[in-house]
Structure formats: structure tokens, C-alpha cells
Amino acid sequence: MMRQAGIRARRITQLAVLGLLVLMPPPAFSRMAAGPDATPPVAVSGVEAGVEQIMVLTDVDAGLRFINFKIKNMLEEGREVLPLTSLPRIEDALATAFTPERFRRLLKQSVMVQADPALLPAVVAWCKTPLMRRITLANNQTVTPEGHKLMLAYRDNPQTAPLSARRLELLHKLDNVSEASTGEDAVLQDMLTAYMQALAFYPPDRSRQNWLAALFVSDRKLVAQRKEKVAARIAADRALVKQRTILGMAYVLRSLSDEEIEQYIGFFESPAGIHWRKVDNQAWRALWTDINQHHLALQMGQPIGKLDPP
């Protein structure tokens, strides 16, 4: 009995924290590219039109569909440790809170609030370049189940294609100017904060109706132990963010020359690139905050989606 409880506790922690780590956003640089099959843009006539063009050119929908796919798989695999009150809500959550369409709407709204209409035409023009089209095509190959596995395999074993000193230097510079790893680190910190707040908020309940509260809140010593473990695990992942981001970039950009990567860095150093980096990173951070909050609510047995009270 005690051994089964221990296994269950570990499974719960994995679902609550580690499961979310596989849903980390792609590096910011990979969201700033134009797809080869993108609809030809019309002239920028306002903020909404400009943002829509950029979202189409960057093929943001491919990444959002993949996020939805990962969430669906994670929730299905975690059914046996979800609270009973959450089980009937899974399909509703997938059909409401976790849809690619809703993700897109949230991203677009966030970008529109922050975007500078004077700089959007330059961003659109950059997205239309052949170089950016190639980068989006390469990135889209990593937001499929098989392509993502291949990228992770390289990231975890980079010796299969060692990087030159020059390429490594350029990738570090690209990460710095795009703030890709900084953005991912912020998402992890937000995740930890939300998780700790959730543990402190929900009342004790020893039934499976509210298993996460029962596990963490009914025993204050256990609460402290679990918080420490969760914090340690996220801290360990945060320590690897820079390395993982660099290696992810290396895989996605492996077909580019050093000179082409320098051109990419040049965009992020331009006024339009500096502005877009800030807008893009903040919009994705806001989206991941929303996803994490809804996922935690579902784990806690709280209503989300269309089951929400009016």
C-alpha cells in the first residue's frame, strides 16, 4: 500500500510539473519566419492587418496545433491520476481552453496591444524574404511528432553533428539578441510561481475529488517536501535552458550558412527586430501563463472550459 502510494505520488508530480515542461514554446527565433506556402500578404493598412500578415507568414498555426497535440496526449496519459471531478472535463477543456484557435486569438490580441504600427511594415518585409521562408520550413519540420523526436534526439546527443567554434559563437549571439532562452526561462519561473500558489490556495481534501490538494495541502510537512522537490526540478531545467535552446537552434538552422545566420542576427539588432522580439516574447509568455493556469485548474478538479459557471 505504501509503495503504491509512493508511485502514485511520483506520477502525480510528473503530470503536474514535468508534463508541462514538454510543452515549452519553440525558441523565439523560430517563430519569426515566413512559410513557403504562406498566403501572399496585402498592404499593411493597420495594426490588425499587419499582425495578421505576420502570423500567416510565420505559420504560427503549425506550432499551435502541435501544442494542442502535446496537451491532448499528456491529459490522456494522465487520466488515472487526475481527480474524478476532472475526468468529464477533459474533452471540454480540449474543445475550449486548449484549442489552437483560442491560442491564436490570445496571441493576436496580445501582439496587437503592444505592436508599433510604424515598425510593422519592416517586420512584414523581413518575413517575406527567402531566408525567413527557409527558416520557417525548417522549423515546421520540428513541430510534428516525428520531427520533434528527431530534434530532441540531436539536442540530447549533439556529438552526432559537432558544431564548429564559429557556428557555436553565432548561435550564442542569436540567442542573446532574440532572447530565446531568456523567454523560456521566464515561462519556467512563471510555472513555478503558479504551481506554488495553487498548492497554497486549495483546501485539504483526502479524497480523489481533489487529489492534488490532498497530496500537498493535507500534510504541511509533505507540502514543504513537495514544494522543495518541484522547485529543485524546475531549477534543474532552468539551468539547462540555455544549452537546450542553443542546440535546438543548431538543429533547426543546420542548413543555413554562417553568413545567413549573421543576416538573421542583423534583423534582431534592427529597430524593427528589437521591437518585435519584445512583443513576440511577451505574447508567448502570456499564452503559456494562460495554458499553465488552465492546466493546473484541471488538475485541481476545478471547472474550466464550457463547464465554467456563468
Side-chain angles (χ1 to χ4, degrees):
M1 180 67 73
M2 290 298 293
R3 182 174 182 275
Q4 291 177 340
I7 293 174
R8 178 178 170 79
R10 288 193 296 273
R11 294 280 312 270
I12 288 170
T13 302
Q14 289 169 357
L15 175 65
V17 181
L18 306 186
L20 285 176
L21 298 180
V22 304
L23 299 175
M24 288 297 294
F29 75 91
S30 65
R31 299 193 295 267
M32 193 59 257
D37 300 321
T39 303
V42 297
V44 177
S45 58
V47 171
E48 183 173 4
V51 171
E52 179 61 28
Q53 285 187 54
I54 292 168
M55 294 184 75
V56 171
L57 288 168
T58 59
D59 197 11
V60 70
D61 294 324
L64 297 178
R65 287 192 297 269
F66 186 63
I67 293 173
N68 171 265
F69 167 79
K70 297 291 288 184
I71 292 175
K72 182 177 181 179
N73 283 356
M74 185 175 62
L75 291 177
E76 290 297 330
E77 292 172 359
R79 277 181 177 271
E80 67 179 79
V81 294
L82 279 170
L84 296 177
T85 51
S86 291
L87 296 181
R89 306 182 194 280
I90 292 178
E91 293 303 319
D92 291 310
L94 289 171
T96 54
F98 298 133
T99 64
E101 293 78 16
R102 180 173 179 273
F103 295 161
R104 192 183 199 279
R105 185 170 67 253
L106 292 175
L107 272 178
K108 185 174 182 178
Q109 291 172 345
S110 181
V111 171
M112 285 177 58
V113 169
Q114 305 173 70
D116 183 346
L119 293 173
L120 283 181
V123 179
V124 172
W126 177 253
C127 288
K128 293 162 61 178
T129 63
L131 175 59
M132 300 314 300
R133 293 174 181 270
R134 288 174 55 200
I135 294 173
T136 285
L137 179 62
N139 183 67
N140 283 354
Q141 293 173 353
T142 69
V143 290
T144 65
E146 184 58 33
H148 192 64
K149 288 180 181 178
L150 292 173
M151 188 274 288
L152 293 179
Y154 170 77
R155 191 194 70 181
D156 295 336
N157 188 27
Q159 295 84 358
T160 56
L163 299 172
S164 69
R166 176 58 177 160
R167 178 55 64 102
L168 190 59
E169 177 187 0
L170 287 172
L171 292 174
H172 274 278
K173 186 173 183 179
L174 178 58
D175 178 51
N176 290 336
V177 297
S178 67
E179 296 186 355
S181 61
T182 301
E184 295 195 21
D185 182 73
V187 170
L188 281 171
Q189 181 58 48
D190 291 346
M191 185 190 306
L192 177 60
T193 300
Y195 196 68
M196 295 306 176
Q197 290 174 343
L199 296 182
F201 178 77
Y202 290 95
D205 183 350
R206 293 183 179 279
S207 71
R208 197 184 170 205
Q209 295 295 316
N210 197 341
W211 54 263
L212 198 55
L215 176 65
F216 291 101
V217 184
S218 60
D219 185 319
R220 294 197 175 277
K221 183 177 180 180
L222 187 57
V223 171
Q225 292 174 345
R226 292 298 177 184
K227 282 186 175 181
E228 184 178 345
K229 288 184 179 180
V230 169
R233 181 53 196 259
I234 290 184
D237 278 280
R238 291 181 69 189
L240 294 174
V241 163
K242 182 82 171 181
Q243 175 184 329
R244 289 173 174 174
T245 300
I246 295 297
L247 292 175
M249 287 180 170
Y251 182 82
V252 172
L253 303 179
R254 63 193 184 281
S255 66
L256 270 61
S257 67
D258 290 348
E259 291 72 23
E260 287 170 326
I261 294 180
E262 288 177 333
Q263 292 178 42
Y264 201 16
I265 292 171
F267 167 74
F268 280 110
E269 292 177 331
S270 70
I274 292 171
H275 172 67
W276 187 256
R277 175 198 66 206
K278 178 181 178 181
V279 170
D280 187 53
N281 285 348
Q282 289 182 355
W284 279 91
R285 183 175 181 179
L287 175 62
W288 282 103
T289 295
D290 181 89
I291 291 173
N292 290 338
Q293 289 175 344
H294 278 90
H295 186 259
L296 280 171
L298 189 64
Q299 293 180 71
M300 293 289 189
Q302 304 302 303
I304 66 172
K306 70 181 184 183
L307 295 181
D308 283 343

